[in-house]
Amino acid sequence: MKKTLSILMIFMAFFSCRERELTQTGNPEDYVSPEFTKVPDTEKLYIFTEETSGDAFETLEWSAADFGAATEYNYQIIASIEGYDAESVVTLVSGSATSVEISQKELNDAIMYITGALSEGMVTEENVTLNIKAFIGDFPTGSGVVSSAKPANANVYPYFTPSLPGNRMYVRGDHQGWTEGDETTILGSEEEEGGPYTGYMYLNENFKVSTGATWNGGDNYGQDGEWDNQGNGIKTAISTDGGDIKVTPGPGFYFMNTNGSSSLFIEQLVFSVKGTAVPNGEIVMDYDATNRYLYANVDFVDGSFTFYATDEHNFGKGDMDGITVIGGEPIEVKAGNKMVILDLKNPGTYIYYYQGAIEITAPVLTPLTTTEYVLAKEDKDEAIEAISWSAAVFGEEELDKYQLLLGSQVLYEGTDLTTTLTVAELNAAALKNGGEAGKSLVHSLRVVAMFTEGSKLESELLELTITPYLAFQEYLYMIGGYNGWSFNEDDVVNLKDQEGNYSAWVWLDQADADNGFKFTTVDNWNDGTNYGYASDNKLSTDGGAGNIPVGATNHYDVKMNTESLTYELVPLKWGLIGAATPGEWDTDSEMTLDEGTKTWTWTGDLTHGEYKFRANNEWAYNLGASDTDGVVVFDGPNMVNEDPGNYTITLTYDVDTDTFSMTKVQN
């Protein structure tokens, strides 16, 4: 046994010595360093995005290193950026290879590590230096290490991927264009499931809270009750049947808290940079609508500050530079003129950072001689007082345009510093902004300056009290061969907006006796205005004008405008759409019309899932479920097909009741 062990030890020693002989390096003075032979284009700006992160950045090539040893060498590509202490290994190349393809993600990860960027607002173009290091063994240590003498450089604009709360809800509304998948307007929860969900964001007019990133990806909650005072804010009930949530008291920056299913609390806040480092002790922060953060230009003195709204919303220093938390110690700062930014978009990580101060001047509305308007229809063409404002400045950015808004309604768009509105224009805007004819309502007037690089500045609000008039009557009679030329309040086109647009869905039969129709303002031919045929798509108010012709039997969206004297007959071509249908939510499955029975049919395969009826590939024409089995209604909820299979679906229109019914038969 001892003899066998001795032989084994001699055998192992032999190969151990052999290995050391193979990796023995030569004189360090004779080492040959690897040098790049193919490098990035220094004249190019490489723009990385999350969508292209898997694409190649560049293929790097280099000459082989030489340590005077008969073994394989390893290489590291190392990134660094001037002004930062950290460096990062981008990739490791083992063996005899002298080239490597680096992906955008690999280099982007290195840049994020080096710069420590905590938000998209901290991301800027970076000049990245790439070095190559050759070595023997698993790690570049010891005598067998050599680096390239001449580095490579690349100008890169990286992307930022935030670390978001896994349990979150989405807030979609006109503050972000009702955009799906927007992860900059979310609420987060520290719980694995359920609320409370909290966060901060700017709210404008209306919004909803959703569990999914898309409307069809989860439950969507709207307002299901009135606002009630609670503490420093207000609270309301929410439900999946609720309507749009109305921002109250109005546009502004809010703290939000919801249990995720039945209640919502909001509190309007005004943040300031406050502390010993701030001249006069405090400066109010502004909101950047493009980048969705708060900012302030501050000429700091040595001292400290917090981001203060209330005692409950007072942000100080977090556990690392750039992180801010409620109740944290004041943030120390050295004297200097700089812009400080508070970014509260990510409920998982609230951050702050500095940028060089720039000149920022918001537009200022010139006070009006009157702020109360009682408008009259007979004055509709007269001009009201000119509205003016001062020029806005945002650093070196070029002005794109100004918008003058009454609430959410655009009154003017352009580069001038003044505009004059007619009574009719102000009246239409007041009605669209929630006003009611004959009743006074306070509206907010403001100017928004928009710049070419996306920055925005807003003026202070100017309140106007406006009493509008009824510009257009609520409906017009539609009479013709389709209803025996009789006047009745069931056969009308309804006012859709304050531009004089009317419409209604009507079944029109080309074979009706005395084919054609007209519109009238009253229920007789003598006392109002009659609208007849002038030419195709054109109306005439001449008493002798002809009937508006019907080209083919169909179900139409009948449209007309009393201001432009135009009309349009839009045939409704119904189909099926939804997750259960062959085209899913992307493409309609067209149905076949039987004019005689006023029915549309479709036969095909349905999977388990939701679906609706939709016409003309437009959501303006859609039918969904109702409280009555077999009856579908405009904009009703999605219907659900439980059992996959082949079905024949029939949609029937009843002219007498103006209702739609459906049947679904499995084949």
Side-chain angles (χ1 to χ4, degrees), residues 505 554-557 570-574 593 600 615-616 621 660:
W505 296 0
N554 211 320
H555 194 225
Y556 289 92
D557 181 9
V570 181
L572 298 180
K573 300 176 182 179
W574 289 100
L593 171 64
W600 295 261
N616 301 10
Y621 310 115
F660 286 91

Side-chain angles (χ1 to χ4, degrees), residues 27 44 58 95 103 107 109 113 199 209 215 235 239 245 247 286-287 363 397 421 448 516 562 608 654:
N27 188 338
K44 177 181 178 180
E58 281 287 357
S103 70
L107 186 54
D109 288 348
Y113 172 79
V209 181
W215 293 115
K235 185 177 182 179
S239 74
I245 303 170
V247 180
D286 292 310
Y287 178 70
E397 288 191 41
L421 305 173
V448 179
T562 56
H608 174 80
D654 188 320

Side-chain angles (χ1 to χ4, degrees), residues 560-623:
M560 66 91 68
N561 185 285
T562 56
E563 293 293 284
S564 61
L565 292 180
T566 57
Y567 77 93
E568 182 181 9
L569 302 182
V570 181
L572 298 180
K573 300 176 182 179
W574 289 100
L576 292 167
I577 189 169
T581 69
E584 298 187 342
W585 290 106
D586 300 319
T587 306
D588 290 7
S589 298
E590 292 188 8
M591 306 181 78
T592 301
L593 171 64
D594 183 327
E595 298 174 1
T597 60
K598 302 178 179 61
T599 59
W600 295 261
T601 58
W602 174 84
T603 298
D605 293 334
L606 294 179
T607 62
H608 174 80
E610 297 181 330
Y611 67 100
K612 297 189 83 169
F613 294 102
R614 188 171 75 162
N616 301 10
N617 300 310
E618 296 181 29
W619 285 112
Y621 310 115
N622 78 87
L623 300 170

Side-chain angles (χ1 to χ4, degrees), residues 357-411:
I358 59 175
E359 182 184 356
I360 298 176
T361 305
V364 177
L365 278 166
T366 302
L368 300 174
T369 57
T370 180
T371 57
E372 294 188 12
Y373 293 91
V374 178
L375 306 178
K377 189 170 185 177
E378 56 267 26
D379 301 327
K380 66 186 179 106
D381 295 326
E382 294 185 10
I384 66 167
E385 180 181 358
I387 302 173
S388 304
W389 54 91
S390 61
V393 178
F394 199 103
E396 299 298 320
E397 288 191 41
E398 183 180 349
L399 177 74
D400 179 25
K401 61 187 176 184
Y402 293 103
Q403 279 189 339
L404 178 67
L405 298 106
L406 188 77
S408 60
Q409 304 304 310
V410 178
L411 299 175

Side-chain angles (χ1 to χ4, degrees), residues 12 139 152 173 177 185 249 262 344 384 409 442 449 460 517 524 551 644 651:
M12 292 175 63
F139 300 100
T185 55
S262 61
L344 302 179
I384 66 167
Q409 304 304 310
V442 177
E460 295 290 332
F517 64 92
N524 63 74
L651 177 68

